[in-house]
């Protein structure tokens, strides 16, 4: 049975989006594709407030996360890590054969501007990676404050994963000054997985051109070359791009400000609901994510059983990720979800909670 997905990725995809994927194929080296590509990319630039380049990658987010490392780390990279995705990025960096250090921050806490400043002041690094919205813990780090610090380290590539925040919160890349900002579309974009979008600064493209060992599939220089023709280096996942085109139509029809407000409202309501049920929020106050809520288990609730019972009723819910599995759980509120979807979930869980509590 198909379940309604309240897990933080892949998120629930609306039937109109699935239908957009069912369009017949077109050749990707055609004027028709170039026109579609240009239209999609131009609206992504508006969404991200950037006059720089935006590329489409037929991969999940980790492809571009690896690509950013291979293109931009020449000397040594620092991976800031306050959760599972950040920690994995450190592993990816090492597996690319790069010198790297991890700066670990406790799970539930944000990466702060001070932590970034302290690490970069050592002068050891020419690149840093940051997860804006740590999906494993529901923590959103203060990107604007970190960006202000990064201005003092112009020689350090500023590589940011906004996989679970892009399109749900305002991202003004030209004022943030990111070198790479990337996302997979199966989170806040509300699309099926398989496509990643990423913005690359001119400075980063210049550096990439001078970095050996970029490989082919994620070579940013190849992406830039093909971008001139509104195209991609290899055959793109056309179905997903049809769906992204459709989704961008919907986003701009809703209005970006309305979209951001809708996400904030769902986040505030979910945090309130979680606390009303006797749970506590997993993140430190002030750094709760806008796209998912992570709550600490109260010790009385059998999350495994809750997940099973919800599943039997046709709902997929989460019971924690990585080392906090069953100690915390996450509720996603992103993409095309509205308050009505959240209330539907709250009602379901309120019916089930008495049965799973000791
Ligand atoms: C989901 C997620 C990823 C991984 O994306 P894949 O699509 O599995 O490659 C990376 N970072 C964050 C913050 C995520 O939420």
């Amino acid at each position: 049975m198909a379940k309604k997905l309240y897990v933080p990725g892949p998120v629930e995809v609306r039937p109109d989006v699935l239908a957009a994927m069912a369009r017949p194929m077109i050749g990707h080296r055609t004027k028709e594709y170039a026109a579609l590509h240009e239209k999609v990319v131009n609206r992504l630039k508006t969404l991200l407030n950037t006059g720089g380049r935006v590329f489409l990658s037929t991969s999940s987010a980790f492809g571009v996360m690896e690509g950013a490392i291979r293109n931009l780390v020449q000397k040594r990279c620092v991976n800031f890590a306050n959760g599972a995705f950040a920690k994995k990025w450190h592993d990816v960096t090492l597996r690319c054969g790069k010198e790297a250090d991890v700066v670990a921050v406790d799970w539930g806490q944000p990466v702060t501007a001070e932590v970034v400043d302290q690490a970069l002041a050592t002068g050891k690094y020419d690149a840093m990676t940051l997860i804006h919205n740590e999906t494993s813990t529901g923590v959103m780090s203060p990107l604007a404050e970190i960006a202000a610090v990064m201005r003092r380290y112009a020689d350090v590539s500023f590589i940011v994963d906004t996989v679970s925040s892009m399109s749900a919160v305002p991202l003004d890349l030209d004022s943030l000054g990111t070198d790479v900002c990337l996302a997979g579309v199966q989170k806040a974009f509300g699309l099926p997985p398989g496509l990643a979008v990423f913005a690359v600064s001119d400075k980063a493209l210049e550096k990439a051109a001078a970095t050996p060992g970029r490989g082919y599939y994620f070579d940013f220089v190849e992406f830039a070359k093909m971008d001139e023709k509104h195209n991609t280096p290899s055959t793109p996942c056309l179905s997903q791009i049809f769906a992204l085109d459709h989704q961008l139509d919907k986003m701009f029809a809703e209005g970006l400000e309305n979209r951001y407000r809708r996400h904030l409202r769902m986040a505030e309501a979910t945090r309130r609901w979680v606390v009303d049920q006797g749970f506590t929020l997993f993140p430190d106050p002030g750094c709760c994510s806008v796209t998912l809520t992570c709550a600490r288990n109260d010790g009385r609730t059998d999350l495994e059983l809750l997940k099973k019972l919800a599943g039997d009723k046709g709902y997929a819910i989460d019971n924690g990720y990585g080392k906090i599995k069953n100690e915390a759980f996450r509720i996603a509120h992103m993409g095309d979800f509205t308050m009505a979807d959240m209330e539907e979930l709250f009602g379901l869980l309120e019916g089930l909670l008495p049965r799973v509590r000791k």
Side-chain angles (χ1 to χ4, degrees):
M1 179 181 57
K3 292 192 184 90
K4 185 163 178 176
L5 301 181
Y6 284 90
V7 295
V11 303
E12 181 73 4
V13 178
R14 297 293 198 212
D16 58 291
V17 175
L18 292 174
M21 293 186 70
R23 268 178 58 181
M25 289 302 107
I26 56 175
H28 66 295
R29 303 295 187 217
T30 59
K31 281 198 189 111
E32 193 183 353
Y33 176 72
L36 170 70
H37 186 101
E38 187 179 13
K39 180 167 155 241
V40 164
V41 164
N42 282 344
R43 280 176 298 164
L44 289 171
K45 288 181 185 177
T46 304
L47 173 73
L48 301 175
N49 293 292
T50 180
R53 311 280 197 116
V54 172
F55 303 132
L56 305 179
S57 169
T58 294
S59 67
S60 80
F62 262 108
V64 180
M65 291 162 81
E66 173 165 323
I69 300 300
R70 294 187 71 176
N71 280 266
L72 295 175
V73 181
Q74 294 178 351
K75 193 169 72 176
R76 193 174 188 92
C77 181
V78 56
N79 308 108
F80 294 100
N82 59 341
F85 287 103
K87 195 156 170 287
K88 195 161 166 199
W89 209 352
H90 177 58
D91 184 37
V92 168
T93 307
L94 295 175
R95 290 200 207 189
C96 289
K98 303 289 186 176
E99 305 281 334
D101 297 309
V102 65
V103 170
V105 172
D106 284 346
W107 284 38
Q109 301 207 351
V111 174
T112 60
E114 293 75 55
V115 164
V116 170
D117 198 9
Q118 214 170 49
L120 297 187
T122 62
K124 288 197 285 191
Y125 305 109
D126 74 324
M128 68 89 105
T129 68
L130 173 75
I131 308 256
H132 175 221
N133 192 60
E134 214 349 303
T135 315
S136 60
T137 60
V139 168
M140 204 169 248
S141 288
L143 188 54
E145 290 169 27
I146 292 166
V149 165
M150 290 307 294
R151 258 174 239 130
R152 299 208 299 275
Y153 299 100
D155 294 338
V156 180
S157 296
F158 183 14
I159 306 169
V160 186
D161 163 325
T162 56
V163 175
S164 57
S165 56
M166 189 186 281
S167 88
V169 299
L171 288 171
D172 185 345
L173 297 192
D174 281 358
S175 76
L176 292 170
T178 56
D179 286 304
V180 178
C181 179
L182 67 103
V185 298
Q186 79 276 23
K187 307 273 170 85
F189 279 94
L191 293 164
L195 172 67
V197 304
F198 63 115
V200 182
S201 71
D202 289 342
K203 192 174 77 180
L205 280 175
E206 265 170 51
K207 185 178 179 187
T211 307
R214 301 188 300 277
Y216 168 72
Y217 196 72
F218 294 109
D219 181 356
F220 290 179
V221 178
E222 289 287 337
F223 275 91
K225 204 165 78 192
M226 293 311 293
D227 178 59
E228 302 289 333
K229 300 178 194 165
H230 308 298
N231 222 305
T232 53
S234 48
T235 315
C237 47
L238 293 159
S239 307
Q240 255 110 351
I241 295 170
F242 295 149
L244 176 57
D245 179 41
H246 171 75
Q247 200 63 318
L248 285 163
D249 284 345
K250 280 168 57 186
M251 276 184 207
F252 285 95
E254 179 181 12
L256 296 181
E257 292 306 320
N258 292 335
R259 182 177 173 82
Y260 302 144
R261 249 194 309 271
R262 173 167 60 80
H263 279 88
L264 200 57
R265 260 191 79 205
M266 291 192 291
E268 287 168 351
T270 306
R271 288 173 208 155
R272 256 196 319 271
W273 181 83
V274 153
V275 171
D276 284 349
Q277 299 305 310
F279 299 105
T280 49
L281 297 170
F282 187 81
D284 263 14
C287 63
C288 286
S289 165
V290 173
T291 55
L292 73 142
T293 295
C294 185
R296 215 175 276 282
N297 195 353
D298 55 9
R300 304 182 293 133
T301 304
D302 186 341
L303 288 180
E304 221 51 274
L305 182 59
L306 182 66
K307 181 177 164 176
K308 190 195 167 294
L309 294 177
D312 291 344
K313 291 198 176 284
Y315 295 84
I317 61 165
D318 169 85
N319 59 329
Y321 188 96
K323 70 176 186 185
I324 55 173
K325 190 167 177 164
N326 292 327
E327 288 170 28
F329 62 96
R330 303 169 304 164
I331 297 173
H333 30 79
M334 60 178 121
D336 287 330
F337 271 176
T338 65
M339 276 305 301
D341 296 291
M342 301 323 295
E343 276 152 16
E344 181 183 338
L345 178 73
F346 302 157
L348 168 88
L349 295 179
E350 281 164 29
L352 295 176
L353 278 170
R355 292 168 58 189
V356 299
R357 280 196 165 138
K358 296 191 230 17

